[in-house]
Amino acid sequence: MMKKHSTLLGILLAMFLLVGSAALSQAAALLADLENALMCKCEDKCGKVLINCTCATSDKTRAEFTKLLDSGLTVDQIIADQVTKHGETVLSAPTKNGFNLTAWVTPFVALLAGGFGLGKIIEAWKRKGSSDNQQVEAEETATPIPSKYSDRLREELDKIES
């Protein structure tokens, strides 16, 4: 009877630890999401994303965010609060609406325009190279071989064959 109770107690303890570790890992994941979404706002203006910053201000901010998450606020609510306090500069990535949409679209447009321009340059080089080759071939075929050289060449070839 005592053995059954200890086994049952062991199973309950294991389940409690599993549930507790799952809740801790979920809280850590939420904090990591929050740290990835926001920039560090230290006085040194380090310009780092909060998850990569190691300054004292970032440690205080992490502690504050952990308390806010524990109080029941969601990541989106905390981000909205930070944007209200510091403006959109606190975000690690621009929002995907309004003028900020250009920050997302411009690199791809520039890449396409650069590829198109590079293609046109290569095409122009190929055209210029082929026209230069045709011009050289035309010059080579247009130049007549003087008769004294052609006679000498013929004599040399006859000597080799005989």
Side-chain angles (χ1 to χ4, degrees):
M1 182 76 162
M2 184 70 159
K3 190 174 181 177
K4 285 184 180 179
H5 286 295
S6 65
T7 304
L8 183 60
L9 185 63
I11 291 172
L12 288 174
L13 183 62
M15 289 177 60
F16 178 74
L17 290 175
L18 284 175
V19 170
S21 66
L24 284 176
S25 65
Q26 185 180 6
L30 289 175
L31 183 61
D33 288 346
L34 195 55
E35 288 177 316
N36 273 324
L38 297 173
M39 300 294 291
C40 180
K41 295 307 271 180
C42 61
E43 294 176 9
D44 296 337
K45 301 192 184 296
C46 65
K48 293 181 180 175
V49 177
L50 187 59
I51 199 166
N52 297 327
C53 191
T54 57
C55 69
T57 304
S58 67
D59 292 337
K60 291 177 187 172
T61 306
R62 283 187 194 100
E64 178 187 339
F65 289 162
T66 303
K67 286 180 186 174
L68 291 173
L69 287 171
D70 289 343
S71 71
L73 290 177
T74 64
V75 170
D76 292 334
Q77 289 171 329
I78 296 171
I79 290 172
D81 182 51
Q82 292 297 309
V83 169
T84 303
K85 283 182 186 172
H86 302 287
E88 286 189 358
T89 58
V90 77
L91 297 174
S92 62
T95 58
K96 293 175 185 154
N97 55 27
F99 183 73
N100 290 338
L101 194 58
T102 57
W104 292 98
V105 173
T106 301
F108 298 108
V109 170
L111 190 63
L112 288 174
F116 181 75
L118 189 62
K120 286 291 187 185
I121 289 171
I122 290 172
E123 187 177 311
W125 284 347
K126 287 170 87 177
R127 250 189 274 131
K128 183 180 177 188
S130 66
S131 68
D132 286 346
N133 286 343
Q134 289 174 351
Q135 198 173 32
V136 169
E137 288 175 7
E139 288 175 4
E140 287 177 356
T141 56
T143 306
I145 298 174
S147 64
K148 74 176 191 181
Y149 294 123
S150 63
D151 292 341
R152 185 169 175 188
L153 178 63
R154 191 173 304 119
E155 287 174 11
E156 292 293 326
L157 289 173
D158 289 342
K159 284 180 187 176
I160 292 173
E161 288 180 359
S162 59

